[in-house]
Amino acid sequence: MDACRVTVVGIGADGWDGLGLRSQQLVTGAGVLVGAPRQLALVPEVGVPEVGGQRRLEWPRPLKAGLDEMLAGLVGSEVVALASGDPLVSGIGTTLVDALGADRVRVVPAVSSVALARAELCWPAESCAVVSVVGRPVSLVARELAPGHRVLVLGSDESTAGLVAGLLCEQGFGASVMHLLGDLGSQAQTHRVVRADEFVGEGPRLGVIALDLVGPRRLGWVPGLPDDAFENDGQLTKRDLRASALARLAPVPGEHLWDVGAGAGSIGIEWARAHPTCRTTAIEGDVERAARIERNAARLGVPGVRVVHGRVPEALAGLDAPDAIFIGGGTATPGLLDQCLAALAPGGRLVAHAVTLESEQALASAYAEHGGELTRIAVEKSAPVGRFTGWTPARTVTQWSVELGGEAGSAR
């Protein structure tokens, strides 16, 4: 079955006059023009639809639910979609590519709001991060918080600035400077400067919030955050063990982790913090701990961590395939290790921890069958002994790690 083809044309806040000749010709030559009401209003009418003129459509609401049906009805038409600025910067262009495939979408960008914001502030591209909270939780900004860091936040509406200011104050960054940039590139462009802890009212509806961050040095991005960074009830993979496990899990952009028996979610959360495209599914059988994982993930800037409440191995059925798996609890559960190994494709990594004799025996058997690396990790920390200082040992943990070779389930 044939699919719709779409040309996506970026249009700025300066409207029709700001478009180049090529973009104007594409828009006026379209049989069907699709866009938001605000964008459609920027473009002059082209003929009368009833007598063969241009047909205009607004995006369905909700977008995802109605998009496929709309596109199916436009097969064979010359379709142009309007987008704000660069359609591939948190825009409809990305949605259309996902829906139709890159071979059926052509993108003609205008200057993005990100570029306009950097130009207004004279911030070099390499000096600042970009976070989109368009349809996403504002807590995504938390991952970027660091003193002296600059962040451009793409907002959803007037409420975004207040939500960002609240987040900054909660995290100790109330002294940060917020540049509220509205209607960038138009004659009505605005630029308001305010400290986060002094912000009141609303921000611009069409805007970028540029943050010049002032606050404490919080958390690093290398594996092994402090244990007190995670709300927990004691079911937590401790810092040194966590760093060891993540070094072997080796997160890279775009990969997916199963955190099995997640406890406080620390392994999966640090995996997700490694890169914005890293994904985590945390599987936890205790309902209170499952809720705790969600709170930890939001506070640490990775609210996209998916939490599955259920018992293993049954809860693993139907999950998106993983690139790596961490098993922090339930290692001795019959069949769990085999099921996890079978879920991994070649190149997949598995790390499992054991503290009981039964779970240690399961790892020893897996090591004997599949190879990999078997390690015992004993950590001791200094503590007062009367007037002196001595060592207090933590429970020794056995760690099995393995990377799969050419066939699923076979180790290198």
Side-chain angles (χ1 to χ4, degrees):
M1 180 178 177
D2 196 13
C4 179
R5 295 179 182 273
V6 180
T7 298
V8 190
V9 175
I11 186 168
D14 50 356
W16 181 252
D17 292 338
L19 288 180
L21 178 61
R22 178 191 177 208
S23 293
Q24 289 185 346
Q25 290 173 339
L26 286 169
V27 171
T28 56
V32 179
L33 186 66
V34 188
R38 175 187 60 82
Q39 295 160 342
L40 293 171
L42 296 173
V43 177
E45 295 285 348
V46 181
V48 180
E50 289 76 11
V51 292
Q54 188 179 75
R55 179 183 171 203
R56 295 192 170 193
L57 299 174
E58 296 179 7
W59 295 114
R61 294 185 181 182
L63 179 63
K64 289 186 177 180
L67 183 60
D68 289 344
E69 182 179 353
M70 168 185 270
L71 294 175
L74 297 177
V75 174
S77 301
E78 188 70 26
V79 182
V80 169
L82 295 175
S84 295
D86 184 342
L88 296 177
V89 176
S90 192
I92 190 66
T94 304
T95 303
L96 290 171
V97 169
D98 290 342
L100 297 172
D103 59 330
R104 296 185 178 274
V105 179
R106 178 169 59 144
V107 177
V108 182
V111 179
S112 70
S113 58
V114 171
L116 290 168
R118 292 200 310 259
E120 171 69 13
L121 299 168
C122 291
W123 286 5
E126 62 271 16
S127 75
C128 52
V130 179
V131 177
S132 173
V133 297
V134 178
R136 300 172 180 175
V138 170
S139 55
L140 283 166
V141 177
R143 179 179 176 274
E144 299 291 340
L145 297 183
H149 192 34
R150 291 170 170 173
V151 183
L152 299 177
V153 181
L154 309 184
S156 290
D157 53 34
E158 300 93 336
S159 67
T160 302
L163 295 172
V164 171
L167 173 70
L168 294 176
C169 292
E170 290 171 6
Q171 301 272 6
F173 282 76
S176 299
V177 176
M178 300 174 62
H179 297 265
L180 310 179
L181 306 170
D183 297 301
L184 286 162
S186 74
Q187 294 296 320
Q189 179 172 315
T190 59
H191 182 173
R192 175 186 170 195
V193 183
V194 62
R195 276 176 48 132
D197 55 9
E198 296 174 350
F199 176 83
V200 292
E202 296 182 329
R205 178 168 181 75
L206 297 174
V208 174
I209 304 158
L211 306 178
D212 211 339
L213 295 172
V214 179
R217 187 184 182 283
R218 292 176 71 245
L219 301 170
W221 280 358
V222 297
L225 295 180
D227 292 341
D228 60 10
F230 301 92
E231 178 189 346
N232 70 89
D233 61 357
Q235 290 297 314
L236 173 74
T237 301
K238 300 299 192 295
R239 183 178 199 171
D240 299 288
L241 292 165
R242 196 181 330 124
S244 175
L246 284 159
R248 291 162 171 80
L249 290 168
V252 298
E255 288 195 328
H256 179 211
L257 173 77
W258 285 0
D259 186 356
V260 180
S266 61
I267 292 284
I269 288 170
E270 291 218 44
W271 170 281
R273 281 172 57 87
H275 191 271
T277 62
C278 286
R279 297 183 298 127
T280 292
T281 299
I283 302 96
E284 173 53 52
D286 184 275
V287 64
E288 292 185 8
R289 289 174 185 161
R292 190 176 292 122
I293 294 169
E294 293 182 341
R295 293 195 296 272
N296 282 331
R299 190 176 63 255
L300 293 170
V302 285
V305 168
R306 180 189 176 197
V307 180
V308 174
H309 173 230
R311 299 290 179 183
V312 294
E314 294 80 10
L316 304 180
L319 299 182
D320 289 347
D323 299 287
I325 299 175
F326 175 73
I327 306 176
T331 306
T333 302
L336 177 60
L337 283 172
D338 289 337
Q339 184 170 340
C340 287
L341 286 168
L344 290 168
R349 289 86 63 203
L350 184 145
V351 175
H353 284 179
V355 294
T356 66
L357 286 174
E358 291 78 7
S359 56
E360 189 175 73
Q361 288 169 355
L363 294 189
S365 296
Y367 171 69
E369 181 178 355
H370 300 285
E373 181 183 32
L374 196 63
T375 308
R376 296 198 79 199
I377 304 173
V379 178
E380 298 184 8
K381 294 187 176 181
S382 62
V385 180
R387 296 183 295 110
F388 302 98
T389 303
W391 294 105
T392 299
R395 191 183 298 272
T396 298
V397 173
T398 299
Q399 178 187 80
W400 179 52
S401 59
V402 65
E403 180 179 347
L404 299 195
E407 297 180 5
S410 65
R412 287 179 179 169

